[in-house]
Amino acid sequence: MKGASNVGTVTDVDGKYALDVPSSAKTLVISYVGMRSEEIPVTDKHATTVLRANLALDEVVVTAMGISREKKALGYAVQDVKGDQLTQAANTNVASALQGKVSGIDIAPSSGMPGASSKMTIRGSRSFTGDNTPLYVVDGMPITSSSDIGTGNSVTGADYANRAVDIDPSDIESINILKGQAASALYGMRATNGVIVITTKSGKGARKGKPEITVNTGFSFENPSTLPKFQTEYAQGIGGKYVATDSRSWGPKIADLANDPKYGGNTDNDYTKESGRKPGQYYVVQRARAGLDPWATPQTYDNAREFFNTGVTWNNSVNVAQNMDKGSYSLSLGNTTAEGIVPSTGLLRYNAKLTAQATLNNHWTTGFSGNFATSKIKKQTGANNGIIATVYGVPASYDFKGIPNHIQGDPYTQNTYRGTGGFDGAYWAVEHNSFVERSQRFFGNAYTQYATNFGDSHKVTAKYQLGVDAYTTNYTDIWGYGHSNGRGEIEEQSVTSNELNSLLTFTWAWAINDNMNLDVLYGNEFVQTASKYKDNTGSNFNFPGWDHMSNATVYTSSGTFHRTRTVGNFASASWAYRNMLYLSATIRNDVVSSMPRNNRSFTYPSVSLGFIFTELDALKNNFLTYGKLRASYAEVGQAGTYYASYYTVPGYGGGFYNGTPLQYPIGSVMAYTPSYRIYDPNLRPQNTKSYEIGLDLSFFNDLVSLNYTYSRQNVKDQIFDVPLAASTGYQKLRTNGGSVHTNAHEITLNIAPIRRKNIHWEVGVNFTKLDNYVDELAPGVESIRLGGFVDPQVRLSKGDKFPVLYGTSFLRNKKGDIVVDENGLPMAGENKVLGDAAPDFRMGFNTTLELFKFRLSAVFDWKQGGSMYAGTAYMLDFYGVSQRSADFRNKKDFLFERPAVKQLADGSYAPNDIKIKGENAFDYFNALSRISEAGVYKSSFLKLREISLSYPVYNKPFLSVTANVFLRNVLLWSEMNNGIDPESTQGNNNMAGSFERFSLPGARSYGFGLSVKF
């Protein structure tokens, strides 16, 4: 009661309350942590009051080590996303659920397949070849989130999922992103790339009394987000002639196939001599091989669309929570079942979580959180020899789906439109090749806490937390008998990881006086990680039908075991003055077992300052209601792995041999040779120095809020391999060298233009501009290859952005003009940097409109600038299956599309005016296919990430039912405009997001859901 601090009450979980007020009372003040207070007049009847989020003043966020602090007290930038924002469009992956909703983060998904990997970085990349993913902390305990196995050069094979796939977004209460090193410094080396702090649902927010049960279900359908435009006019072949097994579609018109001199049913040839003329038909060799009637009527087939399925995803979860006087608990069960748009792909995941807290007495509390996840991911191959190469490349005249994928009576001999040396027909592949990940994981922690007060101004808290993260993932890749015209192969990999995390903290809170507060923290952390990796490969199955390691004629086996320990001691002190000035400092020392003995101890400091200048009496006003300046500095490192020396079992191969045909043991003879890599005994950890300044403003009581942050990260002492001369006896030296820096600009703008009883509209904008540059490499090293082919590739090079595309360029003269030959065709020039993969900026738009009981939400994501190698697009031109290739073929003549010059007899240059005849279009695209620069496209795009509509169908105190419909990735505008999703790329490593060649497509989704609470 306003003016009577001793008169008040609290609501129940449904917001209901009762209060006896004196007759003199006139105004009731309604408040809640993190919400704007409302003042209403006292009347006999009081309607419902809805409190809106207080964006600036009293919001509480979870920071490092699980410490909850008021957002206004922080001297660095953090951003949070609530659980309902993550699941409003039924996302099954945490990374994809964050896209477009947070500034300072770059998320590069690999495809739209269930369980596909996503590379996430915060404020750019810091390590040349190491891990750049942030640390995930779930309920106060760090867990593994990156991929166990990398995709290497990422030009063959299947994807490998990130371990973040084990997290169920439907069980997340909130995510707080600690972007800068000052925010995450207390976590030490593991947090050099930032921290994703996840708080899962607990029973604390549940109603008291009987348990509260929530059941959620969602059902969605998926289709390819985009497909190339295929021509439907020309048949298989080359030079205008039909060739039954040619991979290209530069043959005759489909309508003229019946007149083909060799295969046409209207002409005299070997086939009509045998069976008589077949008017209007033509002979199809593959139909004959499959035992079908070989004669077919020419027609066009929509082969790509016919190949892809309509994917189906079904999410279900149930949560039982109860809040009691002395504690609370929450039990969650979840299931995700997904069948992908590519046949034989899918995801089956089960999640279970139990969390509980108990207050033992006035001083002691205890609790635990345990999460179990088991999953099975079925995958298919992307990249150069993946299935898309034989889906998109199919001639429009070929019945890809209707003609059996194997010859009659032999399911292991492929039958498709082209030769399968190095490739598999897509339908044969999804039937015979299998790529499966199976994982079981448990992570969680238990804690006990003691807190006591000393007088009215001192509070001391001691807390001990013990956590574990243990999982085993088995990877089985099978290329069936008949793969690539061979006898198949199998690879079985397994990763077992066990991490123990012991955390002890002491905090002291001292209210010095009414104007000053001091909070001090000391902690000790012990982390031990043991990981085991096994790799068994087998090739050349003895006989078909049993694709098993025991059936292989040649097999090899290898394994590694690693154990590392880190002991960290850390401390922090935070001083606050008059709710206006906040000063914090931290320091942490890590001792790491994976570094050289004389270089294992490292100390990192941080300091931050926040100044709320609107607390000054002279600046208090109703226009600028909140204003804060903040600044921070921090250092943090990233440890490497050091081995004094070790030996390996050699294998020898080369020439025309596949694999390593000479391997030890040979009979009873074993051999060992020194490893090809040696380690610098003075290896140091990578070091990051971070500077950050920012400004937070709020106008008209949070009607408009604006946050700006500038940060710079200087990273030196990169750890990577430096090539060595062969005379040393080694190939590489693992050492320190090189540096990289990032300038980051982040803007967050939130506007609530309408705040009415039945209408509430909010708009949010997240802007990010990251400039990530490579400053130095090691002496003698000009570039580092991250992946791709020899040409083209993704690499790092001194003075360029991180990363760049590199390969064969167009031939240019000294002025930089592209030069064409005497036929008007472009020519190959030097190998050089072809473009920056990083965008100029990214911007996310979020909006929510509440109209009476309806709630409409949408997320747009805009990426501006940057380039990617889209090999699929220009290879489809080369194959002649793209609509673009047919358009050029149908022209009378055309010029090379880019501004160019021709060379005159005297050596001078003139603008290109040499026209290429339409009948020579193949020569044009053939020339382009040999120049990597022709496959580099600008990759700007705008996507409608999500749109969802929800409505409370039934809402009573004992039962509430809410229905919703949603769409994901349904609209795409792409600067490439070639039918390739700019986010369908290859690699789960540092090359991700910039390279594709027959990558698996993205997916768009549409579905509905239901939430029942009682």
Side-chain angles (χ1 to χ4, degrees):
M1 190 61 57
K2 189 173 183 179
S5 59
N6 61 334
V7 179
T9 187
V10 295
T11 70
D12 62 16
V13 70
D14 296 314
K16 296 180 178 180
Y17 67 93
L19 180 64
D20 293 326
V21 300
S23 58
S24 60
K26 295 181 179 181
T27 304
L28 187 65
V29 180
I30 302 176
S31 63
Y32 187 79
V33 175
M35 301 292 179
R36 288 189 297 272
S37 298
E38 296 282 351
E39 295 186 4
I40 61 172
V42 175
T43 61
D44 293 337
K45 294 182 179 179
H46 169 49
T48 300
T49 298
V50 178
L51 300 184
R52 300 296 179 184
N54 190 332
L55 301 178
L57 299 182
D58 298 315
E59 185 177 354
V60 176
V61 296
V62 179
T63 62
M65 295 299 168
I67 301 169
S68 296
R69 297 184 64 186
E70 288 184 304
K71 196 171 184 178
K72 68 180 182 181
L74 304 178
Y76 45 78
V78 298
Q79 198 167 352
D80 66 305
V81 180
K82 303 303 181 186
D84 58 348
Q85 295 175 275
L86 297 171
T87 58
Q88 62 190 13
N91 278 292
T92 60
N93 181 282
V94 174
S96 61
L98 286 172
Q99 286 182 298
K101 298 170 184 174
V102 182
S103 65
I105 290 185
D106 185 62
I107 299 171
S110 57
S111 72
M113 300 303 104
S117 65
S118 293
K119 186 194 77 169
M120 180 190 297
T121 56
I122 299 177
R123 293 183 177 173
S125 297
R126 295 165 184 82
S127 176
F128 288 164
T129 58
D131 187 13
N132 282 300
T133 58
L135 174 69
Y136 277 61
V137 177
V138 179
D139 292 333
M141 194 60 63
I143 67 168
T144 299
S145 62
S146 57
S147 299
D148 293 307
I149 300 176
T151 52
N153 290 327
S154 307
V155 294
T156 186
D159 183 33
Y160 294 104
N162 311 104
R163 286 275 53 87
V165 74
D166 300 324
I167 301 173
D168 182 7
S170 67
D171 194 44
I172 294 176
E173 181 176 298
S174 67
I175 291 181
N176 289 286
I177 296 95
L178 309 183
K179 303 176 186 179
Q181 279 65 42
S184 57
L186 283 179
Y187 286 110
M189 290 186 174
R190 292 183 295 173
T192 186
N193 299 316
V195 181
I196 305 294
V197 180
I198 298 176
T199 303
T200 63
K201 294 178 180 177
S202 67
K204 293 180 180 179
R207 65 190 175 204
K208 289 188 176 181
K210 63 181 181 179
E212 182 178 274
I213 301 174
T214 304
V215 179
N216 295 303
T217 186
F219 199 79
S220 65
F221 303 93
E222 286 79 36
N223 297 116
S225 58
T226 183
L227 289 174
K229 294 180 180 179
F230 298 98
Q231 59 93 2
T232 58
E233 187 175 357
Y234 293 100
Q236 186 174 6
I238 189 68
K241 297 180 180 180
Y242 176 69
V243 181
T245 56
D246 198 286
S247 62
R248 296 160 293 186
S249 292
W250 293 93
K253 288 188 175 183
I254 296 173
D256 295 335
L257 283 172
N259 300 319
D260 185 82
K262 186 174 182 180
Y263 297 95
N266 295 342
T267 64
D268 292 327
N269 52 59
D270 291 342
Y271 299 110
T272 55
K273 287 179 181 178
E274 180 179 342
S275 58
R277 286 201 175 192
K278 301 288 183 178
Q281 296 184 311
Y282 75 111
Y283 189 89
V284 182
V285 173
Q286 290 84 355
R287 291 180 63 88
R289 292 174 179 171
L292 304 179
D293 179 1
W295 294 97
T297 301
Q299 66 180 87
T300 60
Y301 299 91
D302 196 351
N303 289 307
R305 293 190 185 278
E306 289 181 351
F307 176 78
F308 293 110
N309 292 332
T310 296
V312 177
T313 301
W314 192 14
N315 289 307
N316 296 285
S317 66
V318 59
N319 176 263
V320 181
Q322 187 174 13
N323 191 4
M324 299 165 285
D325 292 336
K326 293 293 185 178
S328 62
Y329 70 88
S330 175
L331 172 65
S332 297
L333 301 174
N335 164 249
T336 298
T337 302
E339 294 295 331
I341 58 177
V342 171
S344 79
T345 64
L347 166 67
L348 179 63
R349 182 181 67 198
Y350 293 95
N351 293 84
K353 191 206 71 177
L354 177 62
T355 181
Q357 303 86 27
T359 301
L360 305 180
N361 55 41
N362 292 335
H363 299 290
W364 288 96
T365 57
T366 187
F368 67 88
S369 176
N371 298 265
F372 175 77
T374 180
S375 62
K376 177 182 179 181
I377 302 174
K378 298 184 296 181
K379 308 174 294 184
Q380 268 300 332
T381 55
N384 190 50
N385 63 346
I387 59 172
I388 298 302
T390 55
V391 173
Y392 289 174
V394 183
S397 57
Y398 187 79
D399 186 4
F400 195 41
K401 185 176 183 180
I403 299 176
N405 58 60
H406 58 85
I407 66 174
Q408 185 179 20
D410 183 1
Y412 307 104
T413 299
Q414 296 190 48
N415 179 46
T416 189
Y417 70 95
R418 60 166 295 166
T420 52
F423 292 87
D424 288 327
Y427 283 103
W428 189 94
V430 298
E431 184 178 338
H432 294 271
N433 299 338
S434 172
F435 306 88
V436 179
E437 297 182 24
R438 293 180 174 87
S439 181
Q440 290 191 332
R441 183 179 193 179
F442 175 83
F443 60 91
N445 65 84
Y447 74 90
T448 183
Q449 178 176 290
Y450 177 82
T452 187
N453 294 325
F454 294 93
D456 296 330
S457 59
H458 297 273
K459 182 178 181 179
V460 175
T461 304
K463 182 179 180 180
Y464 179 70
Q465 191 172 15
L466 184 65
V468 65
D469 181 14
Y471 63 88
T472 295
T473 304
N474 295 304
Y475 306 84
T476 304
D477 294 353
I478 297 175
W479 305 82
Y481 192 103
H483 159 63
S484 190
N485 301 332
R487 290 161 56 190
E489 57 189 81
I490 182 173
E491 181 174 21
E492 295 176 342
Q493 301 175 84
S494 69
V495 175
T496 298
S497 176
N498 291 280
E499 180 172 291
L500 179 70
N501 192 301
S502 170
L503 179 64
L504 176 64
T505 58
F506 299 92
T507 60
W508 170 43
W510 178 22
I512 301 173
N513 54 44
D514 292 340
N515 293 323
M516 285 192 292
N517 295 277
L518 178 66
D519 294 287
V520 178
L521 165 73
Y522 168 77
N524 171 269
E525 185 178 34
F526 173 85
V527 181
Q528 176 172 290
T529 303
S531 60
K532 181 187 297 183
Y533 170 74
K534 294 182 179 180
D535 184 9
N536 302 312
T537 60
S539 59
N540 295 331
F541 296 125
N542 288 290
F543 52 85
W546 189 33
D547 298 335
H548 193 274
M549 189 68 69
S550 299
N551 192 29
T553 58
V554 178
Y555 60 89
T556 60
S557 180
S558 64
T560 60
F561 177 79
H562 297 279
R563 179 184 287 121
T564 61
R565 293 190 181 100
T566 300
V567 178
N569 288 280
F570 54 90
S572 73
S574 300
W575 175 77
Y577 175 69
R578 296 184 60 184
N579 292 321
M580 177 174 60
L581 192 62
Y582 299 89
L583 176 64
S584 297
T586 72
I587 190 167
R588 174 160 177 146
N589 174 264
D590 281 332
V591 180
V592 186
S593 67
S594 61
M595 296 292 285
R597 288 187 177 275
N598 61 344
N599 208 9
R600 290 182 172 176
S601 179
F602 318 102
T603 301
Y604 303 103
S606 80
V607 61
S608 65
L609 177 68
F611 173 47
I612 304 176
F613 54 84
T614 47
E615 287 295 312
L616 296 171
D617 292 337
L619 296 179
K620 290 183 178 180
N621 60 85
N622 294 324
F623 172 71
L624 179 61
T625 50
Y626 178 82
K628 183 173 96 173
L629 291 169
R630 46 185 165 79
S632 66
Y633 168 81
E635 293 185 30
V636 69
Q638 188 170 3
T641 300
Y642 170 82
Y643 297 101
S645 63
Y646 64 98
Y647 287 75
T648 60
V649 178
Y652 302 97
F656 294 99
Y657 289 102
N658 290 323
T660 50
L662 182 59
Q663 295 185 348
Y664 288 92
I666 300 176
S668 59
V669 178
M670 177 57 77
Y672 298 94
T673 59
S675 171
Y676 67 92
R677 179 190 291 121
I678 58 173
Y679 292 79
D680 185 347
N682 297 311
L683 193 68
R684 303 179 304 277
Q686 174 184 296
N687 180 268
T688 299
K689 293 183 178 180
S690 172
Y691 309 83
E692 178 183 319
I693 58 174
L695 175 67
D696 301 331
L697 301 175
S698 178
F699 303 90
F700 305 112
N701 289 317
D702 297 334
L703 185 69
V704 178
S705 66
L706 176 67
N707 309 94
Y708 169 76
T709 301
Y710 167 76
S711 63
R712 181 181 175 96
Q713 291 84 41
N714 294 325
V715 188
K716 66 176 184 178
D717 292 334
Q718 294 280 336
I719 300 174
F720 62 101
D721 289 337
V722 175
L724 294 176
S727 57
T728 64
Y730 298 93
Q731 297 178 21
K732 300 178 180 180
L733 169 66
R734 179 69 58 86
T735 187
N736 296 104
S739 60
V740 63
H741 80 267
T742 304
N743 290 318
H745 300 269
E746 303 162 33
I747 300 174
T748 302
L749 175 65
N750 292 287
I751 306 173
I754 301 177
R755 289 177 179 173
R756 302 293 183 188
K757 178 179 179 182
N758 294 317
I759 303 177
H760 188 83
W761 182 27
E762 293 184 353
V763 178
V765 179
N766 296 295
F767 173 88
T768 304
K769 178 176 175 57
L770 298 175
D771 293 318
N772 204 177
Y773 282 94
V774 177
D775 299 321
E776 295 287 344
L777 296 173
V781 179
E782 296 298 323
S783 65
I784 299 174
R785 181 183 174 193
L786 299 180
F789 303 101
V790 174
D791 179 15
Q793 62 180 251
V794 182
R795 62 160 53 177
L796 304 177
S797 56
K798 180 180 176 181
D800 290 319
K801 276 192 172 184
F802 185 134
V804 294
L805 302 169
Y806 181 88
T808 306
S809 66
F810 289 109
L811 179 66
R812 289 175 168 84
N813 61 19
K814 293 182 179 180
K815 292 183 178 181
D817 301 318
I818 298 176
V819 181
V820 298
D821 65 12
E822 64 275 9
N823 297 314
L825 300 176
M827 297 178 285
E830 63 178 332
N831 284 2
K832 68 173 189 176
V833 173
L834 304 176
D836 297 325
D840 297 327
F841 67 82
R842 299 197 71 138
M843 187 178 293
F845 301 86
N846 300 264
T847 185
T848 299
L849 174 64
E850 297 177 12
L851 182 61
F852 293 92
K853 294 184 179 181
F854 289 95
R855 180 184 176 92
L856 178 66
S857 299
V859 179
F860 289 87
D861 196 2
W862 176 17
K863 173 192 170 187
Q864 179 60 43
S867 302
M868 69 177 291
Y869 172 74
T872 300
Y874 91 142
M875 285 306 297
L876 296 185
D877 291 340
F878 167 76
Y879 285 141
V881 296
S882 66
Q883 183 60 51
R884 181 168 177 264
S885 66
D887 291 341
F888 275 71
R889 189 174 178 179
N890 290 333
K891 292 180 179 181
K892 179 182 177 181
D893 52 48
F894 59 89
L895 289 171
F896 172 51
E897 299 160 274
R898 306 189 186 208
V901 297
K902 63 180 181 181
Q903 189 170 20
L904 303 178
D906 61 0
S908 62
Y909 295 92
N912 174 41
D913 60 359
I914 304 174
K915 294 185 177 181
I916 306 166
K917 293 182 179 181
E919 62 191 46
N920 295 328
F922 172 74
D923 296 333
Y924 174 63
F925 290 113
N926 186 37
L928 291 178
S929 71
R930 299 173 181 176
I931 304 172
S932 296
E933 187 177 357
V936 175
Y937 297 81
K938 297 296 183 181
S939 56
S940 299
F941 68 81
L942 175 65
K943 274 192 176 185
L944 176 56
R945 288 281 181 205
E946 301 174 0
I947 183 169
S948 63
L949 177 66
S950 63
Y951 180 77
V953 178
Y954 188 83
N955 191 12
K956 297 294 182 181
F958 58 89
L959 176 65
S960 65
V961 180
T962 302
N964 72 301
V965 293
F966 57 86
L967 305 169
R968 293 198 306 268
N969 297 321
V970 289
L971 294 179
L972 167 66
W973 175 87
S974 172
E975 189 177 5
M976 292 200 301
N977 195 30
N978 55 15
I980 305 299
D981 190 324
E983 292 189 304
S984 295
T985 60
Q986 290 155 217
N988 64 359
N989 47 29
N990 290 339
M991 71 168 284
S994 57
F995 189 98
E996 83 81 35
R997 181 179 166 113
F998 299 121
S999 298
L1000 295 167
R1004 62 183 178 189
S1005 306
Y1006 47 96
F1008 58 89
L1010 198 66
S1011 179
V1012 180
K1013 182 183 290 187
F1014 56 92

